Amino acid sequence: MDMDMEEPPHLFLCPISMELMEEPVTVSTGVTYDRRSIERWLFSYGRTTCPATMQPLANLDLTPNHTLARVISSWLDRGSSSSSSSSSSPSTSSLSSPVHELGTPLTRMLEEERLRSALGDLEETPFKVTALKSMRSCMAGDVAMQIIFVASGGVEAVGRVMAQALAESGAGGDFSAFTVCEEAAAVLAALPLSDEASVGLVLAPECLRPIMALLQRGSAEARLHAMDILTKISSAGAGDHWTAGIDVDDVLKSLLELLSDEVSARLSSRALDVLLDVVERSPSGRAKAVEVGAVHVLVELLVVDADDRHVAERILLLLKRLCKCPEGRLAFAEHDLSVAAVARTMLRVSDLATQLAVKVLWLVSMVAQSEKVLEDMVLTGAVAKLLGLLHVESAPSTKQKTVRMVRIHGVFWRQYPCFPTDLKDYLRLLD
């Protein structure tokens, strides 16, 4: 799609990938998805629920939505023609601008008053979803309106509404109440959340608990909004102590569940970023991450995504951090595929991935020697790759670790018949 075109209407985006739909199809609950995304959800991951509503599907039929396909095609054609003429017709482009960008000062004042009024009535109105959508529309792309929203107590008000909606949805199974919670998260996700004061407000329990609930059981779009909020909080850092205000166990479990589900590449990518930050900043983050199964999830993910450089590098960095604690090294040694998954990235993905992989193998074979790990290193070809590293240019620290592993464990590796004769001779030269 042309980068100069306007953003596509929300209706045109697949609820799973949040990308423009190429082949819209409708499932039994009436929700439309892009065929590639929903087929992956149903057939690759074996799900039998509607990802947007989490309701059970009556059947797995995918009905082509020809009407929506024609509308999207028409929108794309119109966007292509309008972008080519925009330079010669400036008045046309100005007509598509938001009201608050071209309105008079009086119009601007009315917009601000509308936002404040909606905030004042939010907790009393029975039409909370409508009010929240109106707020989001007012603030879309308008920094000044976002500042007014925060200064007028908007974060606190939305937080209270989220907390109440979550309680109602939990007590009576009220689906409409959970919808309020999802729309409230969409409002918070529209904010920059770049200053410590705003982050502190979102970290309040009445805000954070519903956000974590959305990560665990929200619709695909709601999960993206919740992850947007967590990513912004993580990036802001809140004085490098934002993890002090959260229940690390809940955050870690939610992030790992997202990584296990692999519902959306965007969600998985952001989950890895936040997971890295929590493990790094929280004093107990590493041990807790291992306790809730992080090593197992990361190894399984690395087996699938080893060829994706950005994903593989972040997984290896996480494994390196987790293997710095005894619990992490033990969990790594116990997983049958861990050594093979890490070894596969060496001399294949990137220089950084190779450095991180060597560091992981160093931690699990040198800091805490495990006969199972040493055996797996021979059988999976990790030893052969380590020897290959000695013949190519690499970081000095990586080469030093490689030489030391080969020298110390060479005697153990020689006993295996699968260990090549020429490599045995090479080891003797190092002795």
Side-chain angles (χ1 to χ4, degrees):
M1 188 175 66
D2 192 330
M3 294 299 292
D4 293 330
M5 289 177 62
E6 61 181 301
E7 286 295 315
H10 185 75
L11 181 65
F12 296 176
L13 303 181
C14 172
I16 296 176
S17 67
M18 297 308 293
E19 303 290 343
L20 188 67
M21 285 186 274
E22 296 179 2
E23 187 180 357
V25 293
T26 303
V27 299
S28 62
T29 57
V31 181
T32 298
Y33 302 92
D34 187 66
R35 180 180 290 277
R36 184 188 305 174
S37 297
I38 190 61
E39 283 184 344
R40 187 180 184 193
W41 170 270
L42 294 175
F43 306 123
S44 297
Y45 301 125
R47 307 287 179 172
T48 57
T49 55
C50 172
T53 65
M54 298 312 290
Q55 296 176 334
L57 293 173
N59 55 64
L60 301 183
D61 295 339
L62 303 177
T63 306
N65 191 330
H66 297 299
T67 301
L68 182 56
R70 285 195 297 270
V71 173
I72 292 175
S73 178
S74 176
W75 177 81
L76 287 170
D77 292 339
R78 188 178 71 250
S80 298
S81 60
S82 64
S83 63
S84 63
S85 61
S86 60
S87 58
S88 60
S89 179
S91 60
T92 302
S93 62
S94 66
L95 289 174
S96 64
S97 301
V99 173
H100 53 253
E101 287 185 7
L102 27 89
T104 63
L106 176 59
T107 303
R108 180 72 181 186
M109 290 173 62
L110 290 173
E111 284 288 292
E112 292 175 3
E113 185 55 37
R114 182 163 73 94
L115 177 61
R116 291 191 179 96
S117 176
L119 264 176
D121 297 337
L122 178 62
E123 295 180 68
E124 302 300 327
T125 179
F127 307 108
K128 287 182 172 57
V129 170
T130 301
L132 289 164
K133 286 183 176 179
S134 176
M135 288 179 197
R136 185 154 57 124
S137 175
C138 279
M139 294 189 295
D142 190 331
V143 176
M145 293 292 274
Q146 293 167 2
I147 292 173
I148 290 172
F149 175 86
V150 175
S152 302
V155 176
E156 298 96 314
V158 169
R160 289 192 293 271
V161 167
M162 289 178 76
Q164 181 183 356
L166 181 64
E168 291 175 357
S169 67
D174 188 348
F175 182 75
S176 62
F178 202 69
T179 302
V180 172
C181 193
E182 293 187 336
E183 191 58 45
V187 172
L188 295 180
L191 299 173
L193 301 177
S194 56
D195 61 288
E196 192 165 334
S198 297
V199 170
L201 294 173
V202 177
L203 286 175
E206 62 266 24
C207 261
L208 199 60
R209 286 197 198 101
I211 290 169
M212 300 315 302
L214 290 176
L215 270 184
Q216 294 169 342
R217 54 191 176 95
S219 66
E221 185 181 8
R223 285 183 168 191
L224 272 174
H225 288 147
M227 185 56 68
D228 276 343
I229 295 168
L230 278 185
T231 303
K232 289 173 182 176
I233 292 173
S234 172
S235 299
D240 289 339
H241 298 295
W242 76 273
T243 54
I246 63 173
D247 186 328
V248 175
D249 279 1
D250 284 346
V251 175
L252 291 171
K253 288 176 183 176
S254 298
L255 295 174
L256 292 173
E257 185 177 333
L258 285 176
L259 290 173
S260 298
D261 288 347
E262 289 189 271
V263 175
S264 159
R266 287 174 62 191
L267 269 175
S268 295
S269 179
R270 293 179 187 180
L272 280 173
D273 288 336
V274 178
L275 187 58
L276 275 165
D277 197 46
V278 173
V279 169
E280 181 67 16
R281 294 182 191 274
S282 172
S284 59
R286 292 176 186 175
K288 286 185 177 293
V290 174
E291 184 180 331
V292 296
V295 173
H296 178 87
V297 172
L298 292 170
V299 168
E300 298 291 330
L301 192 60
L302 189 59
V303 170
V304 175
D305 293 323
D307 293 326
D308 186 323
R309 180 172 67 85
H310 297 292
V311 172
E313 288 173 352
R314 283 180 288 175
I315 292 175
L316 289 167
L317 180 56
L318 272 165
L319 286 173
K320 186 195 79 169
R321 290 178 179 174
L322 296 180
C323 287
K324 285 185 176 180
C325 66
E327 301 90 345
R329 292 190 291 271
L330 179 61
F332 185 92
E334 289 176 345
H335 196 294
D336 290 336
L337 297 178
S338 58
V339 174
V342 170
R344 185 184 172 200
T345 65
M346 294 168 62
L347 297 171
R348 176 178 178 174
V349 176
S350 68
D351 290 341
L352 177 58
T354 298
Q355 292 176 32
L356 292 170
V358 169
K359 179 65 174 177
V360 171
L361 295 178
W362 167 271
L363 288 168
V364 296
S365 68
M366 299 291 287
V367 177
Q369 292 188 22
S370 163
E371 192 167 301
K372 179 181 180 300
V373 168
L374 295 178
E375 182 177 12
D376 286 347
M377 288 177 71
V378 178
L379 301 179
T380 61
V383 175
K385 285 195 172 186
L386 288 174
L387 289 166
L389 264 175
L390 297 177
H391 295 282
V392 299
E393 185 176 348
S394 59
S397 61
T398 299
K399 187 153 290 188
Q400 288 169 8
K401 288 182 177 63
T402 302
V403 169
R404 187 153 178 77
M405 279 190 280
V406 171
R407 285 186 183 279
I408 291 178
H409 300 311
V411 174
F412 179 87
W413 290 330
R414 283 196 194 106
Q415 65 182 304
Y416 288 90
C418 62
F419 197 70
T421 304
D422 58 336
L423 293 185
K424 291 181 181 178
D425 295 337
Y426 190 86
L427 284 171
R428 290 192 186 97
L429 294 176
L430 287 176
D431 288 341

